[in-house]
């Protein structure tokens, strides 16, 4: 999936080790004796993916900030549902935190018959880490030079265009559905099991277009192997500043952003949620952390729990409509 920020384990560790100590973080004072033990951050996806990498490079500096060890616990399975349920069922004491993302918290409740948790009832938003668009890319040798070329090709009799995504029900798939239903840009969906095989087939010419996270393909765009046609964010951002948004191109219903964020179990004392928020936002503001986020094609957010809760409600309502439109369902 978006997931959004991908780094190899080696490059991530090297970057963090090089940065460690570059911006010394003074420990925050405890609040009512919290925290006085390690804080566990559950990444509900396997190690090495975007959720895991994001969790690790944000929490890598939390030990300095809180004075307590930050432990990353990978609990993958069922599109993130297993890890999310484990946190929903955890003791609400501030020592267990979930790294959620749009696909897990806003899409899965509609996509799965029984995800095992309710994002609004079982969790308290702490802060949103980032916001990132999805991007539509083609190989550099593609005859499609712009999004206008792509749209025109889909309207030519026999002009079949295939678009690859990391899988059925992913954000990438759902964006393709919206383009089809709302913008009459009819493409044939080719789902893969992850972004990596989809990238391989795009470069090999087996599919025409790929819709995926910016982080998955930013290096291919920078080295000239791919060309970005459009991004789904409401505005141009960072390393994709030269790529037009779908909204700019007249497709106003196709503005979507992916994100990661931290969640505490419902019932966690508000002063502990506030402490988690303040310490995480402090980590996000460190130059070495924010640089890793922006280089992956994202913007740093670090909003308040209330603002993040409002964003979550809005996304749940919107993605519920899109999932229904797509007809996608998973058990």
């Amino acid at each position: 999936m978006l997931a959004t920020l991908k780094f190899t384990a080696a490059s991530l560790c090297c970057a963090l080790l090089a940065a460690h100590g570059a911006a010394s973080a003074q420990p925050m004072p405890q609040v009512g004796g919290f925290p006085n033990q390690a804080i566990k951050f559950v990444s509900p996806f396997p190690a090495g993916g975007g959720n895991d990498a994001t969790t690790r490079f944000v929490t890598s500096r939390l030990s300095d900030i809180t004075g307590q060890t930050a432990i990353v616990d990978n609990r993958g399975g069922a599109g993130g549902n297993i890890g999310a349920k484990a946190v929903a069922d955890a003791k609400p004491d501030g020592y267990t935190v979930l790294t959620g993302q749009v696909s897990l918290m806003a899409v899965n409740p509609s996509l799965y018959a029984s995800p095992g948790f309710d994002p609004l009832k079982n969790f308290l938003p702490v802060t949103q880490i980032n916001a990132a668009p999805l991007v539509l890319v083609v190989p550099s040798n593609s005859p499609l030079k712009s999004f206008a070329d792509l749209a025109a090709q889909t309207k030519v009799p026999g002009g079949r265009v295939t678009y690859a995504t990391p899988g059925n029900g992913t954000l990438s798939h759902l964006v393709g559905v919206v383009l089809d239903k709302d913008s009459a840009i009819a493409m044939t969906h080719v789902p893969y099991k992850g972004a990596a095989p989809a990238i391989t087939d795009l470069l090999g010419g087996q599919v025409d277009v790929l819709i995926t996270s910016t982080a998955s393909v930013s290096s291919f765009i920078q080295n000239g192997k791919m060309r970005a046609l459009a991004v789904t964010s409401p505005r141009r951002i960072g390393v994709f500043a030269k790529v037009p948004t779908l909204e700019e191109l007249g497709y106003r219903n196709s503005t979507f952003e992916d994100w990661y964020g931290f969640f505490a179990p419902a019932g966690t004392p508000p002063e502990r949620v506030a402490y988690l928020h303040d310490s995480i936002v402090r980590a996000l503001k460190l130059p070495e952390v924010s640089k890793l986020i922006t280089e992956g094609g994202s913007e740093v957010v670090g909003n308040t729990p209330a603002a993040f809760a409002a964003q979550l409600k809005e996304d749940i309502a919107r993605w519920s409509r899109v999932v229904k439109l797509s007809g996608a369902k998973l058990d």
Side-chain angles (χ1 to χ4, degrees):
M1 194 147 303
L2 150 342
T4 301
L5 303 170
K6 290 190 177 180
F7 302 89
T8 65
S11 65
L12 176 62
C13 290
C14 287
L16 293 175
L17 287 171
H20 192 76
S24 135
Q26 297 300 317
M28 288 173 52
Q30 294 181 339
V31 175
F34 176 83
N36 60 14
Q37 64 187 58
I39 302 173
K40 181 170 64 178
F41 290 82
V42 174
S43 172
F45 294 92
N51 188 293
D52 170 69
T54 303
T55 306
R56 290 181 188 279
F57 69 69
V58 175
T59 61
S60 67
R61 300 309 304 273
L62 280 181
S63 296
D64 297 332
I65 294 170
T66 66
Q68 301 296 331
T69 303
I71 300 170
V72 178
D73 180 9
N74 294 96
R75 296 200 188 185
N81 292 342
I82 291 174
K85 187 177 188 306
V87 176
D89 294 340
K91 185 178 180 180
D93 55 8
Y95 291 106
T96 305
V97 180
L98 173 72
T99 307
Q101 59 196 76
V102 173
S103 60
L104 173 62
M105 306 301 283
V107 176
N108 281 11
S110 297
L111 186 63
Y112 285 82
S114 251
F117 67 93
D118 184 313
L120 297 177
K121 293 180 180 178
N122 298 140
F123 293 98
L124 294 174
V126 176
T127 192
Q128 183 179 334
I129 299 168
N130 72 315
L134 298 179
V135 60
L136 288 82
V137 295
V138 295
S140 57
N141 61 358
S142 170
L144 304 175
K145 304 299 183 184
S146 66
F147 191 83
D149 289 344
L150 169 63
Q153 181 65 22
T154 64
K155 294 176 173 61
V156 172
R160 179 174 178 267
V161 174
T162 55
Y163 77 100
T165 73
N168 281 314
T170 60
L171 297 189
S172 301
H173 173 208
L174 298 177
V175 166
V177 169
V178 172
L179 281 171
D180 183 5
K181 301 293 185 182
D182 289 352
S183 308
I185 296 177
M187 299 184 288
T188 301
H189 181 217
V190 182
Y192 287 81
K193 293 183 178 180
I199 288 170
T200 298
D201 275 9
L202 179 77
L203 294 175
Q206 279 73 46
V207 287
D208 300 311
V209 183
L210 169 63
I211 304 177
T212 191
S213 66
T214 52
S216 297
V217 294
S218 60
S219 62
F220 293 98
I221 294 170
Q222 290 168 17
N223 67 21
K225 291 184 178 180
M226 292 183 187
R227 179 168 53 253
L229 302 183
V231 292
T232 65
S233 52
R235 63 205 165 277
R236 301 190 188 198
I237 65 167
V239 294
F240 289 87
K242 294 182 179 180
V243 182
T245 69
L246 286 173
E247 184 171 345
E248 283 178 56
L249 299 171
Y251 303 97
R252 301 189 181 280
N253 291 324
S254 299
T255 297
F256 299 99
E257 285 189 301
D258 197 359
W259 49 253
Y260 290 116
F262 291 117
F263 296 83
T268 301
E271 64 273 14
R272 297 192 177 189
V273 173
Y275 183 97
L276 289 168
H277 169 271
D278 293 349
S279 60
I280 291 166
V281 169
R282 187 168 172 179
L284 289 173
K285 289 181 179 179
L286 293 172
E288 64 270 26
V289 174
S290 61
K291 181 181 179 182
L292 283 171
I293 292 174
T294 55
E295 285 181 346
S298 298
E299 291 181 318
V300 178
V301 178
N303 53 5
T304 65
F308 191 21
Q311 181 66 55
L312 177 62
K313 288 180 181 178
E314 179 182 322
D315 284 342
I316 289 172
R318 186 178 192 192
W319 287 111
S320 173
R321 293 192 297 269
V322 177
V323 169
K324 289 178 182 176
L325 190 66
S326 74
K329 276 292 178 185
L330 295 175
D331 295 326

